Amino acid sequence: MKRVTFADGTDVPALGQGTWMMGEDPARREDEIGALRRGIDLGMTLIDTAEMYGAGASEELVAEAISGRRDAVFLVSKVYPHNASTGRLAAACEASLRRLGTDCLDLYLLHWRGSVPFSETVEGLERLVAAGKIRRWGVSNLDAADMAELRGTAGGEAAATNQLLYNLSCRGIEWDLLPEARDLSMPVMAYSPIDQARLLGDAELAGLAREIGATPAQLALAWVLDRPGVIAIPKAGRVTHVEENAAAAGIVLTDEIRARLDALFPPPAGPSPLAIL
Ligand code: NAP
């Protein structure tokens, strides 16, 4: 499994697991827990969740999936923007830790930018680092101007990552955010790497995948994994999907396949507003 290194030297698998919408349907619970556990077995040990997902139900499901294996997992959660003030951040983090059944997060992200000034959020996050509640912090859904403002805020340069919508059909960040992150040795976390399964219906992607003996999901993931400094976090609530996705880590793209994917899904020709879900 390819690994990606944070600026502090910590490395994580380039292929992790998302959990949005997990824990919401009791009938799917056992399958979802089984899928996450199988993913850990297969080396997808980075797990991404958020206080928002299922209003905490996703974090509780993750707790069950990683029970007895906390040390094998790189655990990521996110705080709502309205909880990212110095007054509310500590309580929000404590609630996530309780739901996750752990005493420390490996990475804690501001889910998107709200009305709380960055200076306040950074101060609150740094207090959580000092208190040993989180090992590092980052952001999500910040555009290039937001990132410049964050880095101009005292302590803001400590942001470990920006988690962004990134997949074959959504390549806008290649214009600015991705090269800027690389210059800073800051990994980017690619969310919705198979475009919430929409990419799987693309006939041309399917044809190309068939040619190389892969599935469309595997080719879409292999393309994300081929990018330096990018961590992909597909969500799969079924063991079969997890196993299929894990095998994407073993696919090596040739220059010819890269060029044909570029022709089908062109890179940006200029700046564009940040796409978010
Ligand atoms: P995604 O991972 O691109 O797609 C998930 C969908 O694809 C699910 O319906 C899943 O179905 C299906 N799927 C997965 N593997 C498959 C396979 N091999 N074959 C067929 N279908 C497959 O979309 P996402 O969940 O939006 O994004 C991934 C993670 O990123 C989220 O779960 C979340 O952790 C994070 N995220 C963050 C933000 C943010 O604002 N920071 C926003 C969106 C997402 P099954 O569940 O049935 O397997």
Side-chain angles (χ1 to χ4, degrees), residues 37-272:
R37 287 185 177 155
R38 182 73 181 125
I40 296 170
D41 293 341
L42 293 169
M44 298 157 75
T45 53
L46 181 151
I47 297 183
D48 177 82
T49 186
E51 64 171 339
M52 184 186 93
Y53 299 167
S58 160
E59 289 180 324
E60 287 169 355
L61 181 132
V62 169
E64 203 171 325
I66 66 172
S67 173
R69 313 172 78 176
R70 170 66 187 92
D71 291 347
V73 170
F74 186 94
L75 196 52
V76 186
S77 194
K78 313 186 198 76
V79 63
Y80 268 125
H82 64 260
N83 281 338
S85 60
T86 36
R88 299 177 68 109
L89 200 42
C93 182
E94 208 56 60
S96 281
L97 291 173
R98 184 175 35 75
R99 286 189 293 266
L100 283 161
T102 189
D103 53 9
C104 184
L105 289 170
D106 295 290
L107 178 60
Y108 197 36
L109 306 179
L110 171 65
H111 208 148
W112 64 88
R113 185 176 192 175
S115 57
V116 177
F118 282 151
S119 54
E120 227 189 285
T121 300
V122 171
E123 188 186 326
L125 289 165
E126 285 296 337
R127 276 191 209 163
L128 291 173
V129 173
K133 302 288 182 184
I134 62 173
R135 297 212 165 86
R136 56 192 70 71
W137 62 268
V139 293
S140 179
N141 295 306
L142 293 202
D143 66 16
D146 289 334
M147 282 307 282
E149 186 181 329
L150 177 66
R151 295 192 64 78
T153 303
E157 69 286 344
T161 191
N162 190 5
Q163 186 177 116
L164 297 161
L165 175 60
Y166 187 49
N167 59 54
L168 274 168
S169 54
C170 185
R171 299 181 58 173
I173 65 169
E174 288 175 31
W175 187 259
D176 44 19
L177 283 160
L178 206 47
E180 287 166 16
R182 274 186 203 134
D183 286 347
L184 298 165
S185 302
M186 187 187 83
V188 161
M189 294 179 72
Y191 74 71
S192 308
I194 57 171
D195 202 20
Q196 300 197 305
R198 284 181 286 270
L199 272 168
L200 311 187
D202 187 289
E204 290 178 297
L205 180 67
L208 194 48
R210 240 186 335 269
E211 276 185 46
I212 64 164
T215 67
Q218 287 172 332
L219 181 52
L221 287 174
W223 177 84
V224 176
L225 295 173
D226 190 46
R227 325 257 108 193
V230 177
I231 299 159
I233 48 168
K235 174 260 181 184
R238 293 155 219 280
V239 166
T240 49
H241 287 170
V242 167
E243 290 175 344
E244 182 180 329
N245 296 348
I251 295 173
V252 179
L253 297 187
T254 61
D255 286 344
E256 189 217 331
I257 296 293
R258 288 191 191 101
R260 287 173 68 187
L261 286 170
D262 280 346
L264 291 175
F265 304 95
S272 55

